[in-house]
Amino acid sequence: MVTTEFDWENGDDAFPLENVPLTEDTRTEARLCVVQALYQSLVMGRHVADIAKEFEVTRLAKRKADKKLFALVCGEAAEGAERYKEMISSVLTEAWTWERLDPVLRAVLWAGAAELTANPKAGVGVVVSEYLNISKGFLAPEQVGFVYKMLDGL
């Protein structure tokens, strides 16, 4: 059995505690934080807005992330949570449901769909590419392909 110092069920994450970015791009950093916030919302059963507020005073305050982009995407994800769940579920096969998808996969898809709506200036290609690259750090190759297919089809 592998043990870590992280308590995943209670909201710990793998982000460095220091203000050391995981990427050199503040917008990519914000998107990573959005995925983490949505993931925590899913596994902890808490509202996205509450998690986002906590992020703003804890993790996000220590990150070199685009805080406006984080707030924009998290706000849209919170406001349209049911809409995005239905949108993503509508393109799944009968054998797969929203609940059956891995929580990390759900968080990436939810974040990408929310940003496509909230940040049209970024362009579909940029948003899909960003979340595709983020998914490569957390998901198996076949799931990364699924992210591409799903986001490109929304």
Side-chain angles (χ1 to χ4, degrees):
M1 178 176 182
V2 177
T3 59
T4 68
E5 59 190 279
F6 300 112
D7 186 1
W8 305 112
E9 281 76 32
N10 289 312
D12 281 357
D13 60 46
F15 284 101
L17 296 177
E18 310 82 37
N19 195 8
V20 178
L22 294 173
T23 73
E24 294 299 319
D25 186 304
T26 60
R27 297 178 70 73
T28 300
E29 195 79 13
R31 291 175 175 112
L32 278 165
C33 290
V34 169
V35 170
Q36 177 67 34
L38 296 180
Y39 171 79
Q40 283 185 225
S41 172
L42 289 166
V43 298
M44 297 173 73
R46 296 184 50 217
H47 195 275
V48 176
D50 296 335
I51 299 285
K53 284 178 191 172
E54 286 179 16
F55 260 68
E56 288 172 5
V57 297
T58 59
R59 291 174 183 88
L60 201 62
K62 299 174 186 177
R63 314 277 344 128
K64 291 186 180 184
D66 182 330
K67 291 159 183 61
K68 287 182 182 177
L69 179 61
F70 175 84
L72 178 73
V73 178
C74 275
E76 177 60 32
E79 186 178 303
E82 278 304 308
R83 183 175 72 246
Y84 293 116
K85 178 180 175 182
E86 289 173 18
M87 181 188 303
I88 293 164
S89 295
S90 72
V91 293
L92 295 173
T93 64
E94 281 186 33
W96 286 90
T97 62
W98 170 260
E99 291 78 16
R100 188 172 173 199
L101 295 177
D102 178 86
V104 175
L105 180 57
R106 282 187 274 164
V108 170
L109 292 172
W110 186 7
E115 185 168 350
L116 285 169
T117 300
N119 191 18
K121 289 182 182 179
V124 173
V126 170
V127 173
V128 170
S129 178
E130 283 284 305
Y131 288 100
L132 191 62
N133 285 331
I134 289 169
S135 71
K136 290 176 183 176
F138 301 100
L139 300 170
E142 61 274 4
Q143 292 174 311
V144 173
F146 182 75
V147 168
Y148 175 76
K149 181 180 175 184
M150 293 291 288
L151 290 179
D152 195 48
L154 297 178

